[in-house]
Amino acid sequence: MANVEQVQPRKGPSLAIQAAMLLFVTVAAIGMGWLSGGYLKGVGGPVPVPVAPENEGKVMEPAAAESLGAGPTLVALAPITTNIASPADTWIRMELSVVYDGPQPPAMSEDIHQDLLALVRTLKMHQMEGASGYQHLKADLEERASIRSQGHAKQILIRTLLVE
């Protein structure tokens, strides 16, 4: 048998080495965060395009900047204020905008507005709760607008959503 005095417990690295390793790992993490943030900030940013005064209501892509009049069009719809299906004493107010693939007649925006109003009246409170409820609501609005416009409505932007 070994003598108790001869067996010594294993010691870990000293306190100075542990502090140096912690400092190294912290500096490496900060450096990686700074580098990846700089990389992501420079990738795919929006390119500003000058817009003529007659095209103020339009959202234009850089490729479409040369051919003014072509490109996506942003149209603000009238606010939707109505009660929802359940609970019946709950009111909702939404301000929406529609992004079209090109200029569309004003009657199409009115048709989309009325269709979205009919959709909002059928909503129940539990369908809108949480982040996933909001995403489902936005997807439903975009689907209805796309169907009503025969595919010309590309996106619905929810500017305000108030449930009371």
Side-chain angles (χ1 to χ4, degrees):
M1 275 235 185
N3 193 355
V4 175
E5 294 171 1
Q6 292 175 351
V7 178
Q8 294 181 2
R10 291 188 75 164
K11 289 186 178 180
S14 70
L15 187 60
I17 293 176
Q18 288 180 356
M21 290 302 294
L22 178 65
L23 181 65
F24 174 73
V25 169
T26 303
V27 168
I30 290 171
M32 291 299 291
W34 181 73
L35 288 173
S36 62
Y39 175 75
L40 292 175
K41 185 176 179 183
V43 172
V47 178
V49 176
V51 177
E54 63 269 6
N55 296 318
E56 248 177 61
K58 297 181 180 178
V59 177
M60 303 189 75
E61 294 178 3
E66 286 102 31
S67 61
L68 293 175
T73 305
L74 179 67
V75 176
L77 299 179
I80 294 174
T81 304
T82 186
N83 61 331
I84 61 176
S86 175
D89 60 341
T90 302
W91 286 76
I92 187 170
R93 177 180 168 90
M94 297 176 73
E95 292 181 8
L96 305 169
S97 294
V98 181
V99 179
Y100 292 112
D101 57 359
Q104 301 297 325
M108 183 178 292
S109 295
E110 288 299 320
D111 291 342
I112 290 174
H113 179 268
Q114 292 302 316
D115 201 25
L116 297 182
L117 173 65
L119 172 69
V120 169
R121 289 186 55 91
T122 64
L123 291 175
K124 295 183 174 135
M125 185 60 128
H126 68 87
Q127 293 174 317
M128 296 183 289
E129 289 178 348
S132 62
Y134 174 78
Q135 288 177 339
H136 289 298
L137 172 64
K138 190 170 189 295
D140 289 343
L141 293 172
E142 287 177 350
E143 182 181 2
R144 292 286 284 262
S146 179
I147 291 169
R148 179 61 66 179
S149 67
Q150 289 88 29
H152 291 291
K154 297 301 178 192
Q155 189 177 14
I156 295 289
L157 304 175
I158 300 176
R159 297 186 331 214
T160 60
L161 174 63
L162 177 68
V163 179
E164 181 178 283

